[in-house]
Structure formats: structure tokens, C-alpha cells
Amino acid sequence: MLKQLTHVQVWVHDQDEALAFYTEKLGMELREDVTVPEMGNFRWLSVGVPGQDDVAITLMAIPGPPVFDEETREQIQKLLATGASGGLFFSTEDAKKSYEELKSRGVEFTQEPTEQPYGIDAGFRDPSGNHFRMAQPRS
Amino acid sequence: MTPVPPERHLLRAKDIVDARFREPLDVPALARAAYLSPAHFSREFRRAFGETPHRYLLTRRLERAAAMLRNTDRSVADICLTVGLRSVGSFTTSFKRVYGVSPIAYRAAHPPVERARVPTCVLQAYARPQSSSFREDSRAAHG
């Protein structure tokens, strides 16, 4: 049967910009960066949270033909840009400290650290419009 | 580098509503965040999200007001100011239009309940009232 989750995928409007954001601003590490010329320069690009080696985030460019027709590609682009494409949830040891650090690096926050029944959490976005949350679990 | 689609700037303005609706925000301030003129901004926002920024801001505030009416014993005037609205009269009018009853009657009908343990952003998004009876709708339909 299924053993473990290894990759989650997020669409990004530009892989170079995403790589810089995820590594330089969010502090993730590059895991895989492979370009395949015979597949129209398809680029498998993934990053991960340092210390969590068994899960990576694949930063996927939105393909046009032959994968998706132009209309589908534009629909995905729009869902991404309007914040309708979903998101990821992270944990943090110190939500307020992480918020200050990430904000000082220019990360766009949708919610400041807020007390919740389960802990303190905050929301932010990547340049493409993906929504992320980080929560400091109640100890 | 692939440029970000224009909707991404509108999303920034929508995020500002979500994060700062308690402040005296208005449409021109939001338009600046999206790098557009107020008129153009309202049109484009509606095209991207299906409703005007004014209505999005108002319903966001009314949702928080309804939650505070259910879960706190703060006064209507206090709640009105806390959610970023300045006139208790127009707050009461808007509230009645959306929820069908006055804030006081709404509070009486909805005693506090145990809330699900999901992020506030989710509660706010799912509980935001939908109404087609705002005055701006008939205006938009004619112009």
C-alpha cells in the first residue's frame, strides 16, 4: 500500500522567481532542479523545509500545449493569481518571531500572528498567489 | 521572467481587506494597493472576484460583527466601531438588509456555541454573508 507522502505540488507563475522566494525568503533548501530538453525543457524543481527530508514541495510551471490547451493554462493562471488554488500549512516554533523575520525579508502577509484555540498562527502568500499558513501549536 | 497576472495585484487588495478591515479602509486606499484608479479598480475587482470591493469590505465587516454579537456581550455601537464602521445607523441598516433582523434581535436568536477548531480565516470566509440586495447592485446593473 501507500507508504509515505513525498512531494506536494504548487503551481507557480515563474519558476526562477519562485525558487528565489522559497529559498531566500522562506529559508527552504533546494532539493531537485532537473531540466529535460526532450520534454520541451520541462523543469522538475523542488524545495523543502530544512530538517524535514522526506517531504518536498514541487514548484511547477503551468504548462501550455501539448499538456494543457491555452484556455486551460489561462484558467489555472487566473485561479493562482486570484488566490483560489489552495495552499500549504506549516508549523513553527515561534510564530511571532518567524513573522517578524519573514516580514523583514519582504514576505506578503495576509494575517498577523493571531491567537487561536490550537495555537498562534499567521497567513502569507508567495509571489504567485499561493496561500500558506504557519502555526505555533499550543504547548 | 514571466510577469505575474494582473489579478495578483487585485488579490493583494483583497488580502488587505481581510487583514485590515477593522481600520478605516476605503476603496481608493485599496485601489492604490492594486496600482489602479478607483473606478478601474472596482471594475477589475468585480471581474476577478464576482463582487465589488465595497461589497466585499462591507460583508467582511458584517460577518465579524455577527460573530461578535453571537460570542461576546459587547454593545452594538462598540462592535460597529471595532469592525471599522463609523455610523451605527448605517451599520444597523446594512446588518438588517443582510441578516434580515436587527443586531439586537440577531444576538437574542443566536446564543454562543462551541466553535470548530479551524483557522479564523476559514470561518470568516465561509460565514461571510451573501446578499443581492445591496443598493450598488442595481446601480451596477444599469451602468
Side-chain angles (χ1 to χ4, degrees):
Chain A
M1 284 304 288
L2 305 182
K3 189 176 168 194
Q4 63 177 31
L5 176 69
T6 60
H7 291 75
V8 292
Q9 181 209 302
V10 296
W11 293 119
V12 295
H13 79 280
D14 184 285
Q15 286 180 310
D16 289 327
E17 186 178 356
L19 178 59
F21 177 83
Y22 283 75
T23 56
E24 292 164 20
K25 297 200 173 175
L26 297 187
M28 293 192 197
E29 59 192 17
L30 176 65
R31 295 280 173 80
E32 299 147 298
D33 189 356
V34 182
T35 299
V36 190
E38 61 271 29
M39 285 169 57
N41 283 330
F42 168 79
R43 183 181 181 191
W44 176 260
L45 177 65
S46 71
V47 295
V49 176
Q52 189 182 30
D53 295 335
D54 57 354
V55 180
I57 300 168
T58 305
L59 306 174
M60 195 74 86
I62 307 168
V67 182
F68 293 135
D69 61 21
E70 199 50 40
E71 189 186 343
T72 304
R73 194 178 69 87
E74 283 170 15
Q75 285 172 336
I76 297 172
Q77 272 181 339
K78 191 181 168 190
L79 286 175
L80 192 57
T82 52
S85 66
L88 300 173
F89 298 76
F90 298 93
S91 65
T92 176
E93 287 189 350
D94 188 331
K96 284 179 180 141
K97 199 170 144 197
S98 300
Y99 166 78
E100 294 300 339
E101 176 69 33
L102 293 173
K103 197 169 170 67
S104 74
R105 296 181 196 171
V107 174
E108 195 178 313
F109 272 81
T110 57
Q111 187 181 34
E112 293 174 5
T114 307
E115 292 277 352
Q116 304 284 355
Y118 48 82
I120 303 170
D121 80 346
F124 55 98
R125 288 197 192 279
D126 76 358
S128 292
N130 290 300
H131 186 214
F132 303 123
R133 299 197 74 82
M134 60 171 180
Q136 174 189 340
R138 189 172 288 282
S139 49
Chain B
M1 192 176 268
T2 313
V4 67
E7 287 89 354
R8 181 66 180 83
H9 302 297
L10 300 168
L11 179 62
R12 183 171 303 114
K14 186 166 176 270
D15 285 341
I16 288 174
V17 173
D18 294 344
R20 293 170 39 200
F21 61 88
R22 294 172 189 82
E23 299 170 26
L25 276 183
D26 55 17
V27 172
L30 296 171
R32 281 194 292 278
Y35 311 121
L36 295 171
S37 73
H40 189 49
F41 168 68
S42 288
R43 226 170 20 244
E44 292 300 302
F45 190 99
R46 189 185 174 113
R47 196 179 56 75
F49 300 114
E51 59 190 324
T52 63
H54 173 260
R55 175 159 139 177
Y56 185 75
L57 177 58
L58 179 59
T59 51
R60 167 65 82 206
R61 286 169 164 163
L62 292 177
E63 183 279 327
R64 278 295 88 190
M68 275 187 263
L69 286 165
R70 292 193 306 268
N71 301 321
T72 74
D73 55 5
R74 295 165 67 175
S75 74
V76 171
D78 183 22
I79 288 173
C80 167
L81 295 174
T82 302
V83 300
L85 293 167
R86 272 163 290 181
S87 158
V88 177
S90 58
F91 164 63
T92 301
T93 305
S94 299
F95 192 94
K96 268 171 107 164
R97 200 180 292 141
V98 167
Y99 289 94
V101 290
S102 72
I104 295 292
Y106 179 87
R107 167 173 276 163
H110 296 84
V113 291
E114 179 70 24
R115 307 299 296 171
R117 294 198 159 199
V118 297
T120 309
C121 67
V122 174
L123 293 177
Q124 290 180 178
Y126 278 77
R128 197 170 59 83
Q130 295 294 289
S131 168
S132 55
S133 59
F134 286 106
R135 247 176 267 127
E136 67 187 38
D137 293 321
S138 53
R139 210 164 58 221
H142 291 106

